[in-house]
Amino acid sequence: MSSDADAATAAGGTPDDHGTLYVVGIGPGLPEHMTKRAKEVIESADVVIASSLYQEFLRDDGTLPSKEAVDDDGVATRDDGFEQEIVRSTMGRQIELARAAFDYVREGKDVAHVSGGDPSVYGKSDLIFKMAEEEDATDVPIEIVPGLTAALGGAANVGAPLCNDFCTISLSDKWRGWDEIEEKLRAAAISDFVIVLYNCWRNYEKAVEIVREERTDDAYVAIVNDAGREDAGRNGESQFITTLGEAADHDDKVSGMGTSLIIGNHETDTWRNDDRTYLVTPRGGRDVDDF
């Protein structure tokens, strides 16, 4: 480290020769649902870490260079001469890539570590901070760039189901034991939260049965797939409205990691026009005069 960098560190700041690690949420991945800030960060980063699926999304609108522009070392040269290293991310390489990101930053490079949805909603943010703590990476500037999460995208697709208090619960028991997940499901159901279930490819039928113990079977449920991804997702964008009592019978609508369930509370109701049915959870009173 240079003497200037030593001085900056001693003064409690970041060394002047460091870049920044951006953890970037791209929402569902298509350009119309990605923030301007996210696009700018990815376009200007020296290094972009992203899965193959997210790279594909980002290439479609030119946020990332085309595959043909990337050489054997993973470096792409843009038309303006700017060189950008593209690193493929996979689930099994997250710890390795977090360490690599710190090293890139210490080399003076800006890094965009791409997450689908919002990086702090079951995304990559917590891992980056945990690894920074483990690696004593206090010299690495970290900035979170938020994105549109599936709960919000899915809710928009089916109307206005989240206009009152709601919560999100992940059904993945990889990091949390099922007993803890069940406790949260039951508490949320009793508290009359609208509940958004993530990672429905695991245990969604069990989750529905637990909520049914505390909530009436006629409560409305939306099954939403690949919200905001149109036909570009894993299984294609779709939404299906049913009831809590029948939700577990529609496993053919639950297609995988891109599926979310929105379980309404006792006030959630439907509104229909000539084309479709919407879900609406009133914020307060049911009368317009109450607003």
Side-chain angles (χ1 to χ4, degrees):
M1 185 181 292
S2 68
S3 58
D4 288 343
D6 284 331
T9 302
T14 298
D16 294 336
D17 58 356
H18 279 33
T20 298
L21 172 54
Y22 298 94
V23 189
V24 186
I26 61 169
L30 300 189
E32 59 265 31
H33 294 307
M34 184 165 57
T35 68
K36 180 180 178 182
R37 173 65 173 159
K39 181 176 176 65
E40 289 174 346
V41 167
I42 294 169
E43 286 179 334
S44 63
D46 300 292
V47 180
V48 177
I49 301 173
S51 70
S52 296
L53 180 64
Y54 298 152
Q55 287 186 35
E56 183 179 336
F57 289 155
L58 294 169
R59 286 190 173 106
D60 282 346
D61 74 327
T63 303
L64 282 182
S66 66
K67 284 184 178 180
E68 291 73 25
V70 182
D71 65 21
D72 292 340
D73 295 322
V75 177
T77 303
R78 293 183 177 274
D79 293 340
D80 60 3
F82 178 67
E83 291 188 349
Q84 188 172 54
E85 184 173 349
I86 314 295
V87 179
R88 179 173 173 266
S89 172
T90 62
M91 289 295 290
R93 299 183 64 203
Q94 295 302 317
I95 291 176
E96 168 196 345
L97 290 174
R99 291 193 179 106
F102 300 155
D103 289 340
Y104 283 125
V105 169
R106 289 172 176 138
E107 293 171 8
K109 297 177 179 179
D110 289 331
V111 179
H113 203 316
V114 174
S115 175
D118 183 283
S120 295
V121 183
Y122 313 119
K124 294 183 171 68
S125 295
D126 66 321
L127 174 63
I128 294 297
F129 283 110
K130 284 182 177 295
M131 288 301 300
E133 181 178 9
E134 183 173 311
E135 299 290 311
D136 196 25
T138 56
D139 61 315
V140 174
I142 300 172
E143 181 177 327
I144 308 301
V145 181
L148 180 66
T149 187
L152 303 182
N157 280 6
V158 299
L162 306 185
C163 287
N164 208 325
D165 298 331
F166 70 94
C167 67
T168 65
I169 298 175
S170 170
L171 299 184
S172 174
D173 52 8
K174 182 176 181 180
W175 292 282
R176 304 283 181 179
W178 180 253
D179 288 345
E180 180 180 342
I181 295 171
E182 181 174 343
E183 184 177 348
K184 291 178 179 178
L185 285 166
R186 200 175 303 280
I190 292 171
S191 300
D192 207 33
F193 284 109
V194 175
I195 305 169
V196 184
L197 301 181
Y198 280 66
N199 293 311
C200 292
W201 52 282
R202 292 176 182 244
N203 304 315
Y204 106 89
E205 294 99 335
K206 289 168 62 176
V208 166
E209 292 307 311
I210 290 167
V211 177
R212 286 182 69 190
E213 294 175 15
E214 312 296 343
R215 198 164 288 189
T216 60
D217 276 354
D218 60 357
Y220 288 106
V221 174
I223 302 174
V224 184
N225 289 296
D226 285 327
R229 287 181 174 169
E230 301 175 355
D231 294 328
R234 296 177 177 89
N235 298 285
E237 185 172 16
S238 66
Q239 46 275 329
F240 178 77
I241 293 176
T242 182
T243 62
L244 187 60
E246 297 180 356
D249 298 331
H250 297 289
D251 58 339
D252 58 314
K253 306 292 185 183
V254 178
S255 61
M257 292 181 67
T259 303
S260 299
L261 258 67
I262 302 174
I263 303 175
N265 66 11
H266 81 282
E267 289 188 311
T268 304
D269 207 343
T270 58
W271 183 82
R272 296 175 176 85
N273 64 11
D274 293 339
D275 298 319
R276 55 186 289 198
T277 299
Y278 298 85
L279 290 187
V280 180
T281 304
R283 181 172 54 186
R286 291 180 177 272
D287 296 326
V288 174
D289 291 340
D290 292 329
F291 282 84

